[in-house]
Amino acid sequence: MAIFEGERSDYGFGTLERKDLFDDPFQQFKFWLDAAIAHNIPEPSAMCLSTVSEQLQPSSRFVLVRGIDHGFIFYTNYLSRKANELESNPHACLNFWWATLERQIRIEGRVEKLSATESDAYFNSRPFESQIASASSPQSQRINSRDVLEEKVQELRRGGEENLVRPKHWGGYRLVPSYFEFWQGRSARLHDRFEYTLLEDGNHDKSTSTKANQPTAWEINRLAP
Ligand SMILES: Cc1cc2nc3c(=O)[nH]c(=O)nc-3n(C[C@H](O)[C@H](O)[C@H](O)COP(=O)(O)O)c2cc1C
């Protein structure tokens, strides 16, 4: 078995202290995302989405975050493996790793479907080629060869339309977080970690809420690395 002892790196990019943190984890996320973009991290919006099946088997894959409001929005096929798993268990988590900045962000919460109107708006904004790709792939299904996909793409192109109508099996989800963790790599493995835990209803001041029924009070704690 290969052991990558030679690959070990000692992290020294930055530090994270309680005084550096925004009280609102969404603001903290935005601050770090902006830094990731400024440092030209490849695919900064790629996040690893983990779901758990009805049989309690976890599975992970990357998706792109396409919007952030009171949750993290991504788009996919509603008949895919991840969609099936979210149907039976809406609890999921996200993970971002921005190597150059030595930063990891974990986010846990419940996933809900976007409204048809929201999904339509995003689908209509996509380039035609992306619309065709989402409409033609029976995502997560076993297929005999690429020809199945190529034929479906040709069939849709022959339709001669400039824009497709969003197929009902494709649309968005929003993961609404109840937990965040911000991790900053440090020297000698003594990394900095801070978690934000959403306080239960009643433990927070609703006047600070940005959206009706969206509590926004978070408790912040340092975690051992
Ligand atoms: C960087 C990256 C971004 C991706 N973005 C998406 C995405 O936004 N939506 C999506 O459905 N699949 C995306 N994929 C493909 C998924 O990782 C995955 O293969 C696909 O969604 C099927 O997953 P499932 O069978 O677990 O449902 C992306 C893959 C990578 C590597």
Side-chain angles (χ1 to χ4, degrees):
M1 183 202 280
I3 299 174
F4 297 99
E5 277 300 327
E7 298 288 316
R8 280 173 179 258
S9 41
D10 198 33
Y11 299 128
F13 176 82
T15 65
L16 191 62
E17 299 293 334
R18 174 64 187 88
K19 65 176 171 43
D20 302 327
L21 295 170
F22 288 94
D23 290 340
D24 177 358
F26 285 93
Q27 265 182 283
Q28 183 63 36
F29 180 88
K30 180 77 175 39
F31 185 64
W32 274 21
L33 176 63
D34 288 345
I37 294 167
H39 281 82
N40 296 317
I41 301 267
E43 299 280 23
S45 60
M47 53 187 188
C48 183
L49 164 72
S50 298
T51 53
V52 177
S53 74
E54 216 166 0
Q55 295 74 34
L56 305 183
Q57 172 62 52
S59 67
S60 297
R61 79 289 288 155
F62 280 88
V63 292
L64 299 178
V65 61
R66 291 305 196 182
I68 302 172
D69 48 16
H70 60 285
F72 290 71
I73 293 170
F74 58 92
Y75 292 87
T76 193
N77 186 306
Y78 284 151
L79 302 175
S80 62
R81 174 173 176 180
K82 71 181 88 51
N84 283 332
E85 296 184 355
L86 289 170
E87 190 71 34
S88 60
N89 178 4
H91 298 278
C93 61
L94 305 172
N95 193 303
F96 293 84
W97 164 238
W98 294 322
T100 319
L101 302 179
E102 300 162 356
R103 287 175 176 170
Q104 171 181 234
I105 305 176
R106 292 161 65 167
I107 303 171
E108 299 171 6
R110 277 183 78 91
V111 174
E112 57 188 31
K113 258 186 181 171
L114 291 193
S115 69
T117 316
E118 288 171 293
S119 289
D120 285 344
Y122 179 72
F123 188 82
N124 295 339
S125 75
R126 303 185 85 201
F128 186 53
E129 290 305 313
S130 309
Q131 291 182 342
I132 285 195
S134 8
S136 57
S137 169
Q139 194 176 62
S140 315
Q141 302 301 311
R142 290 179 179 158
I143 51 174
N144 286 332
S145 74
R146 274 190 79 83
D147 296 348
V148 177
L149 302 175
E150 307 283 359
E151 279 160 24
K152 184 73 186 156
V153 166
Q154 292 312 325
E155 186 190 315
L156 290 169
R157 284 222 179 89
R158 275 196 298 273
E161 290 157 56
E162 282 183 10
N163 271 303
L164 296 184
V165 174
R166 176 179 67 88
K168 291 286 169 277
H169 66 259
W170 192 94
Y173 286 102
R174 175 189 289 110
L175 183 140
V176 181
S178 51
Y179 185 87
F180 285 75
E181 183 204 317
F182 293 85
W183 184 101
Q184 176 73 61
R186 293 287 306 270
S187 181
R189 297 288 180 269
L190 291 180
H191 313 301
D192 288 327
R193 302 175 64 191
F194 284 92
E195 64 169 12
Y196 289 70
T197 311
L198 183 63
L199 296 178
E200 294 297 320
D201 253 347
N203 285 349
H204 67 279
D205 175 6
K206 281 212 171 67
S207 64
T208 61
S209 297
T210 50
K211 192 171 185 292
N213 306 321
Q214 286 297 327
T216 54
W218 298 85
E219 184 182 288
I220 304 176
N221 289 292
R222 182 185 272 274
L223 298 174

